[in-house]
């Protein structure tokens, strides 16, 4: 079969590019994924208890870009949802990100916003250059809160100390002096009403898109002689790891269905203590709005080996990626899009934004990569 466009990966990057090309160009698009389902890590399905669960860990949609929310709204209705997280610290559950309530509860204080700013300023250790994840937290809240909330969690999640990770990792989590206890502060926060998988199915349900699941890139590589490839898998894998493997962080997900209506007061409880092996526990009912006598939770255990989930924002890994990026830029017939293909710690909305921009470039024929 001859197709002009071959998309590898049916996650956000691949599905958005496929939908845009098929719609704009009136040309056929073949999408392959080696997994048995679409949606990649955002894949959700009903479990044996009939509850919607995210098979690759909790995925919460949030964005500050109206254009991205509007684009996805073509394929799904939404259920308003604001994510809340508690952290277990010194045996108590307190709001995370750190806010006024967190400090007052943990230290038995009754500070107001101004009082908390002063309290934090007395503890913060200013750093002339903020380079690492340790710098960014210690400079804002001081060493004790850094150790209670960030150090152990980060060491577990990444298998390295915050001092060995770019500032951007811990900087994802704000520190608030008000009582806002939402995990995200984006203008748009909602979950696809019928789940992510249903949204992907609608996106890919197009007369000019064909989806082949359980199909590895290596099985269809011959089609690339006549097709332009959009690759959304790991970039080092595409190039046979010729500059050495890029490091990724993985997770093991342990699901459990309990004979009780509710397990915990909010969707996610974080475990920053290093003596606890998992990083967080999520109860899906909070996120999905499902009801019923039973409830399903998932615990996340960080791993060095396994499916590549997280690119590592650290200098050596980024230097190696820079070699692949240069090679990718010089390789015709293929365009790299997404979290693994561009080795960026991107949220779903950022991947959608990158994919929309890439598809526009490809569709308007400006990309040198099309040559
Ligand atoms: P991927 O999702 O990695 O998709 C790549 C696809 O390509 C996969 O389906 C893979 O099977 C396929 N593939 C790879 N190689 C090949 C090959 N050789 N042949 C065939 N197919 C191949 N983002 C948020 O915005 N909010 C969240 O709450 C959130 N939570 C997350 C929680 C976890 C535990 C993880 C791991 C990620 C989370 N994310 C979250 C990030 C989100 O999952 C990603 O941003 C998004 O899924 C990236 O999409 P992608 O299409 O770029 O890449
Ligand atoms: N983090 C932390 N303690 C927490 C939550 C997050 O130290 O209670 C740090 C940790 O390094 C984590 C990063 O902040 O990897 C980003 O957190 P986020 O919740 O955004 O991670 P993700 O959902 O992408 O796994």
């Amino acid at each position: 079969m001859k197709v002009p466009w071959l998309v590898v990966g049916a996650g956000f990057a691949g599905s958005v590019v496929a939908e845009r090309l098929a719609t704009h160009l009136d040309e056929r698009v073949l999408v392959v994924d080696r997994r048995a389902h679409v949606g990649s890590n955002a894949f959700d399905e009903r479990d044996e208890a009939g509850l919607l669960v995210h098979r690759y860990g909790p995925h919460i949609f949030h964005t500050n870009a109206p254009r991205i929310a509007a684009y996805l709204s073509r394929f799904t209705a939404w259920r308003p949802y604001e994510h809340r997280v508690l952290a277990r610290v010194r045996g108590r559950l307190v709001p995370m990100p750190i806010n006024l309530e967190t400090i007052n509860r943990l230290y038995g204080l009754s500070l107001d916003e101004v009082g908390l700013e002063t309290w934090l300023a007395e503890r913060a250790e200013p750093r002339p250059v903020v380079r690492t994840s340790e710098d960014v937290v210690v400079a804002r809240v001081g060493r004790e809160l850094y150790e209670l909330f960030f150090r152990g969690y980060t060491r577990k999640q990444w298998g390295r100390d915050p001092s060995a990770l770019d500032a951007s990792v811990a900087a994802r989590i704000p520190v608030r002096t008000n009582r806002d206890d939402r995990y995200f502060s984006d203008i748009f926060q909602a979950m696809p009403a019928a789940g992510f998988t249903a949204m992907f199915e609608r996106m890919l349900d197009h007369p000019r898109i064909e989806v082949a699941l359980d199909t590895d890139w290596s099985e269809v590589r011959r089609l690339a002689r006549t097709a332009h490839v959009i690759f959304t898998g790991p970039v080092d894998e595409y190039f046979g790891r010729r500059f050495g493997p890029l490091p990724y962080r993985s997770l093991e997900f342990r699901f459990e269905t309990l004979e009780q209506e509710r397990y915990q007061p909010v969707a996610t409880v974080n475990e920053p203590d290093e003596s606890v092996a998992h990083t967080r526990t999520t109860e899906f009912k909070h996120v999905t709005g499902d009801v019923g006598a039973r409830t399903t939770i998932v615990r996340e255990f960080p791993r060095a080996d396994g499916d590549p989930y997280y690119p590592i924002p650290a200098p050596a890994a980024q230097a190696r990626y820079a070699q692949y990026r240069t090679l990718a830029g010089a390789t015709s017939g293929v365009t790299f899009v997404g979290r693994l293909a561009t080795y960026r710690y991107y949220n779903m909305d950022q991947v959608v934004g990158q994919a929309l921009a890439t598809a526009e470039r490809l569709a308007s024929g400006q990309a040198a990569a099309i040559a």
Side-chain angles (χ1 to χ4, degrees), residues 133 136-137 150 166-174:
S133 277
V136 77
V137 181
F150 286 90
D166 286 356
S168 60
V169 176
R172 287 166 63 90
I173 313 299

Side-chain angles (χ1 to χ4, degrees), residues 249-268:
R249 203 64 185 152
S250 192
L251 293 170
E252 183 189 329
F253 302 104
R254 292 196 200 153
F255 290 82
E256 202 178 335
T257 298
L258 304 157
E259 301 296 324
Q260 60 197 71
E261 207 173 327
R262 272 265 182 265
Y263 178 70
Q264 59 191 29
V266 292
T268 299

Side-chain angles (χ1 to χ4, degrees), residues 9 12-13 33-34 40 58-60 217 237 338-340 346 348:
F12 273 98
D33 201 299
R34 62 182 162 204
S40 180
H59 276 67
I60 315 299
W217 153 240
E237 184 187 318
R339 174 149 148 152
L340 302 175
Y346 269 172
M348 295 181 279

Side-chain angles (χ1 to χ4, degrees), residues 215-222:
T215 305
D216 195 89
W217 153 240
S218 57
E219 298 168 53
V220 292
R221 205 170 184 138
R222 65 189 185 287

